[in-house]
Amino acid sequence: MTGAFSGSGRSNQGLPKVPTPPSGWPIGSYGTYQEAHRAVEHLAGNDFPVEEVTIVGVDLMLVERVIGRLSWPKVLGTGALSGAWFGLFVGLLLGLFSQQQTSFAPILVGLSAGVVFGLIFAAVGYASTRGRGREIASATQLVAGRYDVLAQPRNAEKGRDLLAKLAMGPGGALS
């Protein structure tokens, strides 16, 4: 899948420079993005000009999935771990530019400092939000109720026919 920032090397001549509502006629509607993507792949496999196709998410929803309850041990453990990774990275960089041969001192100093700062930042952040409704850990996603596949009018009928054949499946019945 490619997007505006994918860096695929291809030019994006057909893409608008500013946010613009999509154009085209609906040729299919699907419950999931994967189904819509599969439909576009089917069109591409049947020599349909897919550069004229757009997948549009309709009825957008912001979904927050609760992962678990926050507690001091979880917050401090996560802070220490993320600090350790950053400290390890900084320590490795310091070790690369160190004048001493095969010394682990810069790595250990970076790792230790990272853990300490990770603990401090996590504790301050958690303490400052405590009691204000942030007692849970969650992940947020933007999802659509359905995904419409649009095609430019000159090829919409051909696209509908191809997607109808896909829906019929290999045996002629709906799959």
Side-chain angles (χ1 to χ4, degrees):
M1 186 174 104
T2 59
F5 301 109
S6 65
S8 64
R10 297 183 304 178
S11 66
N12 294 324
Q13 296 170 349
L15 295 178
K17 301 279 188 246
V18 296
T20 307
S23 64
W25 290 357
I27 60 172
S29 187
Y30 302 91
T32 66
Y33 176 79
Q34 289 80 7
E35 291 170 343
H37 192 269
R38 180 175 162 248
V40 174
E41 290 288 334
H42 178 74
L43 293 172
N46 285 285
D47 297 323
F48 188 85
V50 290
E51 50 281 342
E52 295 183 2
V53 172
T54 306
I55 299 175
V56 179
V58 180
D59 298 329
L60 296 179
M61 298 173 272
L62 185 64
V63 178
E64 183 176 9
R65 300 189 195 285
V66 177
I67 298 169
R69 182 179 209 89
L70 287 178
S71 64
W72 277 108
K74 283 184 183 178
V75 169
L76 294 178
T78 304
L81 190 60
S82 65
W85 278 114
F86 184 71
L88 183 64
F89 173 71
V90 171
L92 286 171
L93 286 178
L94 290 173
L96 286 175
F97 299 109
S98 174
Q99 298 296 329
Q100 302 170 355
Q101 295 293 339
T102 63
S103 173
F104 290 107
I107 296 171
L108 293 175
V109 168
L111 185 64
S112 302
V115 168
V116 169
F117 281 108
L119 283 170
I120 291 170
F121 286 125
V124 169
Y126 185 59
S128 68
T129 61
R130 200 138 159 89
R132 286 188 280 167
R134 291 307 304 169
E135 301 297 318
I136 59 167
S138 62
T140 304
Q141 291 179 308
L142 186 63
V143 296
R146 75 172 194 274
Y147 296 86
D148 291 343
V149 177
L150 309 180
Q152 293 306 307
R154 66 180 160 263
N155 290 310
E157 187 175 343
K158 179 183 175 187
R160 273 192 214 106
D161 291 344
L162 286 169
L163 294 181
K165 288 178 186 173
L166 174 66
M168 294 296 283
L174 288 174
S175 47

